[in-house]
Amino acid sequence: MTDPRFTYPPEADLPASVDEAITSRRSVRAFLPTPVPRDLIEHILEVAARAPSGTNTQPWKVQAVTGEPLAALVRDMLAAHDDPENTTDREYEYYPTQWYEPYLSRRRKVGWDMYGLLGIGKGDKDRMHHQHGLNYTLFGAPVGLFFSIDRKLEKGSWLDYGMFLQNIMIAARGHGLHTCPQAALATYHPVVRRHLAIPDEEMIICGIALGYEDKSALVNSLRTEREPVAGFARFHGW
């Protein structure tokens, strides 16, 4: 049932079911500048907060940013990205330090699929740098969500956090919005921390770009492959 507080996009742009909301979720890398109302962001977060968490700890902390505060944060993240002297690293390892199969092949394929779509060759370091830098513009999205967690919490709370993040992305689809979850936004955590006054006791996990998809952008035609169920699941007792 639609929420009477909000104006929804045309019916054709709304997922018709939970399955469709999940399967239509993808990482959009070009957004329209169309504003997203604050009350809609609050509603999405309220829905997402129904995510399960061990003993109801609810470990999520969110900073929602738009307008000039977001523009200022983008400028400083881009400056850090373009500074050859900048040596900032994430506070945690998102990826394995040594890649191996089948993960290495999957990683390479999605990277070269996107670069191939955009006509970026293997040796074109300048264009690769520019494309990577678009992460720090949030791909033009009008809303940035930044997520942090209390440093004292353990791995179980990070699992809970993942379910919360997924809920945000699925709830956004129910309102015709798209997202791009971005671990890259944690790379320049000192910049994010300074702009959003996030205390040192919290670790910055990631961000999500949120808005309406620019359907004319070539990069948004990318569709990633998924392993079939038979490739990752085993059934017992059937």
Side-chain angles (χ1 to χ4, degrees), residues 20-135:
E20 188 178 350
I22 292 171
T23 56
S24 67
R25 186 224 61 83
R26 52 194 168 81
S27 294
V28 163
R29 293 181 175 86
F31 290 86
L32 298 173
T34 308
V36 181
R38 173 174 169 167
D39 58 353
L40 179 52
I41 301 298
E42 290 180 353
H43 173 72
I44 288 170
L45 293 174
E46 181 181 15
V47 170
R50 296 307 306 176
S53 62
T55 63
N56 202 31
T57 48
Q58 304 175 65
W60 33 83
K61 297 176 185 290
V62 186
Q63 309 288 331
V65 195
T66 193
E68 179 52 34
L70 180 59
L73 176 53
V74 162
R75 285 194 295 269
D76 281 359
M77 287 193 295
L78 273 176
H81 174 68
D82 290 334
D83 180 2
E85 303 298 320
N86 192 304
T87 57
T88 305
D89 291 319
R90 284 197 200 100
E91 295 188 280
Y92 69 96
E93 293 293 341
Y94 186 97
Y95 297 108
T97 54
Q98 295 291 327
W99 284 95
Y100 55 97
E101 297 299 346
Y103 313 109
L104 177 60
S105 293
R106 292 173 184 169
R107 177 178 187 253
R108 283 175 171 167
K109 185 176 190 317
V110 71
W112 292 122
D113 282 353
M114 184 174 72
Y115 286 152
L117 184 67
L118 298 174
I120 301 174
K122 285 188 178 182
D124 197 341
K125 293 182 179 180
D126 288 342
R127 289 192 66 192
M128 287 182 183
H129 179 81
H130 172 75
Q131 183 63 35
H132 187 66
L134 294 180
N135 279 282

Side-chain angles (χ1 to χ4, degrees), residues 158-233:
W158 287 66
L159 293 173
D160 298 340
Y161 219 122
M163 292 183 276
F164 172 68
L165 295 172
Q166 178 75 353
N167 271 4
I168 290 174
M169 292 182 277
I170 299 309
R173 289 299 301 122
H175 292 269
L177 294 160
H178 271 284
T179 55
C180 186
Q182 295 179 261
L185 297 180
T187 301
Y188 302 117
H189 51 91
V191 177
V192 177
R193 189 179 303 282
R194 182 174 71 251
H195 275 264
L196 304 182
I198 297 172
D200 290 340
E201 292 77 20
E202 298 172 19
M203 185 181 296
I204 297 166
I205 294 178
C206 66
I208 289 180
L210 186 149
Y212 295 98
E213 177 189 8
D214 181 354
K215 296 180 180 179
S216 70
L218 180 62
V219 70
N220 284 338
S221 65
L222 178 67
R223 297 294 183 272
T224 55
E225 296 178 1
R226 290 295 189 270
E227 187 77 5
V229 172
F232 62 81

